[in-house]
Amino acid sequence: MWLPLFLLLLLLGCCSHHQRLIAQADDRTVLMKGNKPCEGYVGIVHNGELGYVGVDLWDDNVSKVVCSSIQCGNALKSFRTTNPKPEEMNKSWINGVKCTGKEAQLWDCRFPGFGVSQTRDDALQYIECSHKIEIGLEGFQCAGAVQYSVDGGNKYSGYICADGWKKEYADVLCQTLKCGTAKEVVNEQWMGWKAFQEKKKMMVDCLGIGNFSHLWQCATKESSSCPKPASVICTGHEKVQLRGNKSNVCSGKLVKEESGKWTTFQNNITDADKWCQQMNCGTSSVLNGTVLTCSDNVKVVLVDNNNNINKCYGTVAVQVNDKSHHVCGSSWNMKDAEVVCKELGCGKVHHSKTVQVNTKGIMDNVQCSGNEASLWHCRAKRDHNTFLCPSRAYVVCTGSVEVKLRGGPGRCSGRVEIQHEGKWKRVIKQVWTDENFDAVCKLLACGNKRNILEEFSQGSAEFLNGTLQCKKNVKHISECIEEAPNTRIEKKAMAITCEEHKVVFLKGNESCSGLVGIEQGPKTYWLSGSNETWNMVSANIVCQQMHCGKVSNHTSTNISDVAVRKSIWKESYNCSVNNTSLFDCQKNLTLSSDHEDTIATVTCMGKVTVNLTQRCWGNVNICLGDKCGGVCSKGWTTQKAAMLCKDLGCGNTVLEATTKPDESHEMIIASVHSTSETTNLTQCNFVTNDENDSTCKRNPAYVICSGSIETKFSDLRDHCSGHVEMKYEGKWMPVCADALKETNVQDTICGELKCGQALKRIDYFGPKAVARSSISEINCTADGHRSLAACIMKSQQSTCDPGVLKCSGWSKIALAVHKACSGAAIVLSGGKDGLQGERMAISFENWTKEMGEMLCKHLECGQLNQQNKTQSSLRSLSFNCATGKHSKSIWDCERKVNNSQTEQLFIECKDEPKITLSKGCYGEVKIENSEVCDTHWKPIYSDRVCSEQNCGGKAIYSPNNGTPTSNNEYYHVRCDEHHYQLGQCKRFKEKCKGKPVSVYCVDNVKFKTTEKCGGQVLVQYRDKWEKVCYEKLDDSKKKTDYLGKLCPEIACSGYASLIKDDNDQDTSGLETTLQCTGEEKDIKYCLRYNNQPCESRKPARIVCNGYEPPPVYPPITPTPAWPTILAVGFALAVVILITVFLRICIVRRAKKGRNVSPGKLEEDGCESGNFEELMSKSNEMEELNHTRFRSKTEANDEVSVSSFAYDDIDEVAAALPLTSRADTAGASDGPTLEVDDQEESYDDIEACYQITETEAEIHDATPTAPEGDAAPPTGSELRGDNNLVPRRVSQS
C-alpha cells in the first residue's frame, strides 16, 4: 500500500517541478480588486488567463512570497474572505501551496499543479503588503517621467522603465492621476533623466491581467539595463506659451493650446509662477492680466562659423539671461528647424542638419509640433545647467539665401552669385541650365533673359556646393538649389544679362563730356534735359556713374528732329545726393511737359584714359582721374583690344601673347563694357574691382598690337641683308625661314626697313637651331601696304632654321688688299637684279676712334688696333655717328655719298684670325688651332688656303676621309664673293657631322722616276709616292712644252718622249692625273686628283736626256721538272732510314745506363746519325736513371760518341746520365754523372759495334768542398760516400 502512495507523491513532485519550469516563461502573480496597489485578492496569470489561488494550506510563508514577487515588500496581513469572486477570477489555477518563504514566485513552491487541485468555491485569500505605492509624474502634474514611491509619496524610489511602455498603460496612469487619458507617449528622453541612473528602474507588463486598476499591478521586476524612464503627456496637461515679444520668448501674452490651436486665457492669470516654471522661464516677474513677463530673459539665435550671431543661418543656440548655449542635435528634425526659421522671421527652412561634435547644450531631444511661437516652448530634455551631448543643431533658412548679379555695369547684368550660409558664392557655369536664365531674371525683377554674351570678371568667391535647377514660377531662389556631387572640372563662373539691363553713356569728343544716353538691349535712348528733372544733382550722379568725377557743367541740347524725340527715355528721375546710380533715383510718376524737347548734356571735371604700359603692347592701363591700374582679363575682349590698338595708332591687329603679363600692376577695373555708340574705349562703362579679386591680379588684360613689332637684320656688318629678327613683346626673336616664304612678306620687311624690294632668301648658315621663341608665321595682306602693322605674326617655341633675306638696297663693309682684319675699308652696294653694284671707299672724314671700335666688332675682329688714311680713286661714303651717339650699328649713323675723291679709311683690328695647315703646305686646315669641318667647304676655299699660306695658290687634293672627334667642336665656314680672305668668311663652331678638311697645295708636290732620267713617273703630294695617269694632249707642241718642264723636276734636262708603260699591268689606285691645258708654266699645276681611279689608262712613263734604261738579261730556258722531283724523293727516303736506325741505337745505349763523357766521344760507323735527335730521348733517360752511382762494370760499358755528328748535340746531351748540381759544382776535373740502379733486365739490348769505352774510377776519399757558395753534395743526393770520376780508356 505504501509503495503506490510513494510513487504517486513522486509523480506529483515531478509534475510540480515541470510546472515551475513552464511558469517561469509567462506566469505572474497579481493582486486584484484591492483598495491599494499592494493589497487585494491573490491571483495568477497562467497561459495568458487570469485565475485565483486556492486557500488550502495557506500560511505566512505563502504571503511572504506573494508580496515579494509583486514588488510590494513584506506581508502585513492575510485573511480568507467569502466575498463574491471577481468576474475575471473564475478559475482556480493552483491550490495547496507550500512555501518556505524564500521562493521568488509562488510556482517555485510546492503545489499539485496548475488547475489540478480544487479549492472551496466560496473562499478567496486577501492579502495586504507593506509597500505604500504612489505613482506620479516628474515634471508637471499631468505630464512627465513616470516615477514611483513605496512610502506613500514621501520619497520617490525609482522610475518606471520605458521598455515595453504602451499607451494603454499610460491611459491607466493618467486616469489614476485624474489627468484624463494619455495624449502622447513620449519616446525620447525628456524628464527625469538626471536622477534616472541613480534610482531603481521598474519593469511593467500588463499582459493577461485584464482590467487592472493600478499600474503597479503590472510591475514585474527591477531592471539594471533600462535606458530611460517611461514618459507620458496626459490630456489633462495644459500646454502654454508666451507670444508677441521677438526679443524675449519669456515675455508676452500667455496662450494655451486647445484642440491644436492657441487660445487666450479667458480670465486673468492667478498662478503666474506655475506657468513661468512650466515654460522654463523662471518665476513670475510682471503680470498684467494675461500678459506675463517671467524672470528669465530667453532668446533663440543662430550662430555662424565665426561665433557671430546671424539672423537666418547657423548653429541653433539659446541666450538665457545674455548667456548663449547650444541646442543639441539629437532627434533634430525639419519641424524643429521650421519653428526656428519662423520664430526668427527668416522664411522657410532651406537646409537643416546636425553637426557631429561633442558639445555642451541647454536643450536636447527637441520635439516641436510646428505651431510653437518659439523653439524654447517645444518639448525637450532640459536642465538649469548645460550638459554634454554629441551634436549640434544647424539651420539654414531661406531668408539667408539671396541671388544677385555682380561684377556688371548694372543690377540686371553680371556674374550670378548666391548668398548661402553668409557667403556670396559663384554658380558653376558647366552645370547651368536654360531654365535658370528666366527664373533668375524674374526673381531680380529684370524681365526675361537677353540673348547676349558679355565678358565679366570671374570673381574670387568660392563656388556653390550644388547646382541651380530652377522650375517655372519659382518663388524663391532657395527652391532652385540642389546638392550635386563634387566634381573636379575646371570651374567657371556663370554670368548673364537680362532684358531690363540698361546703362548710361556719354556721346561726345571727350571721354567725360557729351550727350547723356541710355542703352537698353539693342535700342539707344537719350535722357531728357527737362529743367524739372535734369539738374546739378542728377548731372553729378551721371558723372560719378561714369567715373568722371564731379560735374563741371550741365546743359540741355534742343531737339529738332522728330525721330530723335521718339528716342527720349520715357522715365525721369528725382535724385538725391545719396544715390550712386541714375537708376537708383526715385522715378517721377508723371513726365514734364517739355520732357521730349531737349537732351541732357554734361561736362565732368574728370578724365578717363586707356593705354598700354609699353605704348603698343603690354598690360592694359586705365586711368580714372588720378587713379590708374589694370583690367581683369576675364572682363576684357579681343574686340576691345582691337579698338584700343586702333585708338593708339598701333595697327588694327591683335597678336598672340607668348609671355606672362606683369602681375605687379594694380588691378582697379574688373570689366569694361561698351555700347553701340562707343567710338573710343574711354567712353565705356567701367566696373571697378572692389572685390579685391586675387584671380584678377594673376590674370591682367594684356594686349600686343601689330604696330608694336619692329624688325631688323641682325648682321651688323651688312645693311639690308642677313638674318631677319623681329621685336615681339620687347624681345628680339629670330624669324623662321618658313615664315619668309611669301614674296609679299619679304617685300613688307624690306619696305619696313627702307631697303627696297626683296631680292632672295638665303639658306641659313649657322649653329643647329635650338628650341627658343621664334616668329613662326607671318601673314601680310597683298594690298600694297608695306607695313608690319598690317601683318599678323605668331610666336612660339620653335627649332626652326632662322630666315635670311637680301633686299635690293643691300650694302656691306669689306676690307680689301691686306689681311682679313686689316685693310682699306670699302662699301659694296647692290646693283640691278642683285648683281654687284658700285664699290665705294669709306671716307676718313669725320671718322672717330669709337666708330673704328664699332667697325672692328662688326667685322668680328676684336678691338681696334690702329686706323689711318690712304688714297683712293673711288667715290667715297662718309659716316657721321655724332648725331646718334647711342648707335648700335655703323649703319645707324648718318651717311653721305661724296662724288669727289677723298682720303680712304685704312683700319687694323687686333684679332686677326690665324689660319694654318698642320704640315706646312699640306695637312688639316685649322682656324685658331681648331679644325674645320667639310660640311659647307668648297674647292675654291682650299685654293684660298693655299694662297694665304704661300703654298702656290692651288690645292691639288682636299681629302675627306678623316673621322671627326665626337667631343670636339669644329669650325664651319662659308664664304661669299665679297670675302677676300678665309678669315673674313662667316664661321661658327659646332660638332662635325662630315669630315675634317685637309688641303694639299701644289708647293708640296715632288716628282721622280723609276730609273735615272726616265721610267714611270712617280709623284708625292700626300705623304706617299704614287703613279700618275696621263691625259693625252692633241697639240704636240704644247705637249712637248709642258712635259719638258717635268724633266727639270727630276734633275734631268731635255725631254725625249712620254709613253705609256705597256708592260705595267697594275692600273689600280691611279687617282692622280697629269692634265695640262697648255697654259701652265709649272708642271705641278697640271696635277689633278680624280675621285674615280683612271682604270682605262696605264701609268705614265717619261724619257729625258740622260735616260739610262735598266739592264736586259737573256731569257732562261726552262728544264723538265721530273728529274728534280725524283732526286728530292730519294733524298727524303735516305734521311728517313738513317733517322730510324739512329733512334734504335740510341735507345739501346740509353737502356744500358752508362756514363758517357761528352768530351771523349769518338766517331764510329753507327754514329753517323743526326745528333739532334738524341734530345728526344732525354725524358726517357730521366725515367730510367735514379740517384745512385753506377758500378764499375756499368761504367766500362759506356761507349764514346766522339765520332757523332754534332748537329744533334742537344739530343745527345739529353740522353746522358744526370749529374747532381752539387757534384757538378764540386768536381775539379770534370763533371761526374749520377746514375741509379736499374731494376729491369737489359739483356735484350745489344751494344753497337766500334764504340769507344770509358772506365770509371771509384775513390773512397771524401770529395773536396766546392769553392765559393756552392754547397757540398748531400748523402741523399749521392746515396753513398764514393765519387765517380770518369776517365778515358784506349780503344780495343
Side-chain angles (χ1 to χ4, degrees), residues 1073-1142:
T1073 304
L1074 274 174
Q1075 185 177 0
C1076 297
T1077 63
E1079 303 297 330
E1080 294 85 353
K1081 299 299 182 184
D1082 190 335
I1083 192 66
K1084 296 176 183 178
Y1085 289 88
C1086 295
L1087 281 178
R1088 302 285 188 273
Y1089 172 76
N1090 299 319
N1091 290 327
Q1092 299 296 329
C1094 44
E1095 298 287 352
S1096 62
R1097 294 179 292 277
K1098 305 296 184 181
R1101 295 175 60 88
I1102 192 172
V1103 176
C1104 300
N1105 293 334
Y1107 171 65
E1108 296 181 1
V1112 179
Y1113 299 97
I1116 299 174
T1117 304
T1119 58
W1122 64 268
T1124 305
I1125 295 172
L1126 287 176
V1128 171
F1130 178 76
L1132 288 173
V1134 172
V1135 170
I1136 291 171
L1137 290 173
I1138 294 172
T1139 303
V1140 171
F1141 179 74
L1142 284 175

Side-chain angles (χ1 to χ4, degrees), residues 851-870:
M851 295 167 65
E853 293 281 1
M854 189 184 300
L855 181 56
C856 284
K857 289 182 181 179
H858 292 355
L859 298 173
E860 298 180 2
C861 289
Q863 296 180 345
L864 174 67
N865 188 26
Q866 62 179 349
Q867 55 188 12
N868 212 327
K869 55 188 175 181
T870 185

Side-chain angles (χ1 to χ4, degrees), residues 196-213:
F196 177 73
Q197 297 300 332
E198 301 172 358
K199 293 187 177 183
K200 296 178 180 180
K201 297 92 178 174
M202 182 62 63
M203 302 292 293
V204 293
D205 184 3
C206 302
L207 181 64
I209 298 179
N211 297 323
F212 58 93
S213 59

